[in-house]
Amino acid sequence: QQRSSEPPADAVPAAAPAPAAPAPAPAPAPPPLATPAFPERMNKRPRRVRQPSGASFAPAPDASSNRRHGVVRSGGRLAPVHTLPLTPAADEPGLRSASTVQPLAGLEYGPTPFSCPVDTLLTVLRHALTREERRQLRRCASQPGGAGRGGEAGEGCGTGGEGQTARSGCPTARRAGEGGAGESVEASRAVQTSKGAWKAVIEALRLWRGDPSRAAAAKVLWYECMRSQQAQQGGRQPPNGKAALGDCRCRCRCPCAECSSGRCAFCPSCGCKVRRLMGHCFGLAEQFFEHLLPADLPSSPFHLTTRPAWACTACGYTVASPRRVLHLPLLLSSDDVGELLAAGVTPEVGALAAAHLAGSPYDYGPCPRCGCGRLRARASSPAFSPLLLVELGRPGASAGAEAGNRVPWTLRVEPRMELQLQGGSQAYAVAAVVYNDGAHWWADLLSRRHFTKRSRSTGSYRYDGLESGGQLRYAGRGPSPTLTSEPRHVSLVWYRAVPDE
């Protein structure tokens, strides 16, 4: 009897494996066009499309948080600054010998009004910078060539777009590689300006460090240098019978209290009418980028350059700039910050700066090839700098007393910032945070002066020329500065490159 190969009728068939779920179909690419959608814009530098700002710039409802002097953040609340010690506790790990630990001296406010920008700059240069960084800054003016320079004002900061300018008057990002005899003259003039400025500021620091009672004389020395350079750059001659613009010293010999403190302009009988300290005529950023590091300087430790490029989100179209862009400083305008936060970027200064360069959501218009996608900018081919200054703009480029209080967001400052660009990456660590509310400058900074070199420890200090006679107050250990003021007042964040391990 032959056995049938057919299965019995009542047999249960074996379960077949379930078919795999089909992979989602990729988004259809736009059909290739015989001719570009916008042929006149092919292979040309695109222009950024500015989005209307929907942020409200009303003052913060909590009036107590708008205080700036004599307060420190403690447990999320404001507390008197005098609760901070002048030096670390004796049992701090890595501390120097107790006999050598003395309060760090900063410049006290005065003797005339509005000296806080110079006070803050000289204090940060003395305590936040390492000795090698100060040497690099002094040498930068005498080194020819470098990281590329000069270009087109108003370009923003690479991916920042067209028409972006700095509220403080600092140079905006510039395109490198434009040659010519006129440029050589400008570079030579910038070198001479930088040399003279660094010579004056180092002499002022030496004078102050050698004799603390001559702190006011150190300020006058630095002011005289800036005013003299300002007069030379403007080509203005003093009127007949008037003191030269670079002359800050009163020679009227009037014994009144106003003239003795350098306020001759307020004395009814004084004939010289010299304002010894010009105050806010020189903001902190202007001192850097108009005197110490002019825009036409060939190279410096602050010269961060990139090459901007743009890519379509729908097709493979890309266009790159033939020139490099100099970020001196790296400016984030209030519109930039608003767009980055609206795109979901973490509200932290380093994250915003990294997204501004490497992953910006800024819109540069429709793709000229396919007409469907949008162009997005990416910085590439970076030449990283040892030092980096990030400036946060204020709404409407306002410099009034309410400028710092009209910022609708609160930004954190993390210890490190990672810049991962196409062609290289670099980590930066925070060295100092400078605050400004439109009427006053003060800072939180890191310093190693109270700790041994072997421990590699740093301390965070609060400086305000109106507090503690200008002495710095210890706010905690590093590696990140302890923010002792409202974050809405953050104006400048100073970074230094972290060496590769």
Side-chain angles (χ1 to χ4, degrees), residues 482-495:
T482 301
L483 299 190
T484 62
S485 297
E486 288 298 323
R488 68 168 56 91
H489 297 310
V490 174
S491 178
L492 302 167
V493 182
W494 193 327
Y495 292 91

Side-chain angles (χ1 to χ4, degrees), residues 222-234:
W222 175 225
Y223 268 112
E224 282 186 325
C225 173
M226 290 190 292
R227 295 186 69 181
S228 177
Q229 290 184 350
Q230 189 183 60
Q232 295 172 5
Q233 294 169 2

Side-chain angles (χ1 to χ4, degrees), residues 54-149:
S56 172
F57 296 106
D62 184 6
S64 65
S65 65
N66 294 334
R67 298 172 59 196
R68 71 173 184 272
H69 304 311
V71 297
V72 58
R73 294 183 62 84
S74 175
R77 297 181 299 175
L78 297 176
V81 74
H82 63 74
T83 59
L84 291 177
L86 293 176
T87 60
D91 58 351
E92 282 272 8
L95 196 64
R96 293 178 182 271
S97 173
S99 60
T100 61
V101 174
Q102 301 295 330
L104 300 183
L107 283 174
E108 186 176 6
Y109 185 81
T112 56
F114 311 120
S115 68
C116 53
V118 163
D119 301 340
T120 303
L121 173 70
L122 295 179
T123 301
V124 170
L125 287 178
R126 178 176 177 181
H127 294 297
L129 290 184
T130 64
R131 181 176 301 178
E132 180 58 30
E133 288 170 345
R134 285 194 292 270
R135 289 174 179 170
Q136 290 179 0
L137 289 170
R138 290 199 301 268
R139 290 196 302 261
C140 68
S142 60
Q143 293 178 351
R149 61 151 308 282

Side-chain angles (χ1 to χ4, degrees), residues 26 56 81 156 190 263 325 419:
S56 172
V81 74
R263 295 161 53 93
V325 171
L419 293 184

Side-chain angles (χ1 to χ4, degrees), residues 361-388:
Y362 309 137
D363 183 10
Y364 283 83
C367 174
R369 175 186 291 176
C370 66
C372 301
R374 311 294 292 185
L375 293 182
R376 295 289 187 266
R378 297 292 185 273
S380 62
S381 305
F384 294 108
S385 56
L387 299 172
L388 177 62

Side-chain angles (χ1 to χ4, degrees), residues 334-491:
S334 59
D335 291 337
D336 295 336
V337 176
E339 287 190 43
L340 292 169
L341 294 178
V345 179
T346 303
E348 192 272 323
V349 175
L352 293 172
H356 180 79
L357 292 175
S360 69
Y362 309 137
D363 183 10
Y364 283 83
C367 174
R369 175 186 291 176
C370 66
C372 301
R374 311 294 292 185
L375 293 182
R376 295 289 187 266
R378 297 292 185 273
S380 62
S381 305
F384 294 108
S385 56
L387 299 172
L388 177 62
L389 192 64
V390 176
E391 180 179 6
L392 300 177
R394 291 293 185 260
S398 173
E402 295 296 324
N405 298 332
R406 298 176 65 85
V407 179
W409 47 73
T410 298
L411 304 180
R412 304 191 311 274
V413 180
E414 297 293 339
R416 289 169 65 98
M417 172 178 65
E418 299 284 345
L419 293 184
Q420 297 182 353
L421 309 182
Q422 183 178 356
S425 62
Q426 177 65 56
Y428 285 88
V430 177
V433 178
V434 180
Y435 304 92
N436 175 248
D437 66 349
H440 186 62
W441 295 85
W442 70 105
D444 291 320
L445 55 93
L446 292 174
S447 179
R448 301 177 180 176
R449 293 185 179 273
H450 281 153
F451 299 90
T452 62
K453 292 183 178 180
R454 180 177 299 180
S455 67
R456 297 184 179 180
S457 299
T458 57
S460 177
Y461 300 84
R462 172 186 171 91
Y463 165 75
D464 191 325
L466 292 174
E467 301 168 358
S468 311
Q471 290 181 316
L472 279 66
R473 288 192 173 271
Y474 181 70
R477 293 180 69 89
S480 175
T482 301
L483 299 190
T484 62
S485 297
E486 288 298 323
R488 68 168 56 91
H489 297 310
V490 174
S491 178

